Amino acid sequence: MAPYLPLQIAMALTGLLGLILVVFGSWRLSLTLTKPISALEQAAQRMEEGETVEVKVETRDEIGRLARSFSAMAQRVG
């Protein structure tokens, strides 16, 4: 098995690098999703307290559309 040791080490390092990339990518994706949702939650709490709110989320996905709808609703209510 000694001749295969460099190959085993290379495969282990490649697997470790892949794992690190997956963890980093998942972390970045979670931030991308949770920041706008947290902003919506905070705006809802401020609106509940009677403040005029506007949520600024600059994404074009479902969360961005939800934020724009929430801001429009808040303006009509307030």
Side-chain angles (χ1 to χ4, degrees), residues 4-78:
Y4 296 108
L5 185 60
L7 181 60
Q8 290 174 337
I9 291 173
M11 288 177 60
L13 290 176
T14 303
L16 183 61
L17 178 63
L19 179 63
I20 290 170
L21 289 174
V22 166
V23 168
F24 179 74
S26 298
W27 174 73
R28 291 285 297 164
L29 180 62
S30 72
L31 286 180
T32 303
L33 292 174
T34 57
K35 278 186 178 181
I37 293 171
S38 294
L40 283 168
E41 178 191 14
Q42 290 172 0
Q45 289 173 351
R46 290 194 332 258
M47 189 174 152
E48 183 180 11
E49 294 170 0
E51 292 182 40
T52 303
V53 296
E54 182 178 347
V55 180
K56 294 183 180 180
V57 176
E58 308 218 357
T59 63
R60 294 180 180 223
D61 58 2
E62 294 85 1
I63 295 172
R65 288 194 304 267
L66 176 63
R68 285 188 292 281
S69 296
F70 182 87
S71 291
M73 179 191 67
Q75 288 176 357
R76 288 186 194 115
V77 170

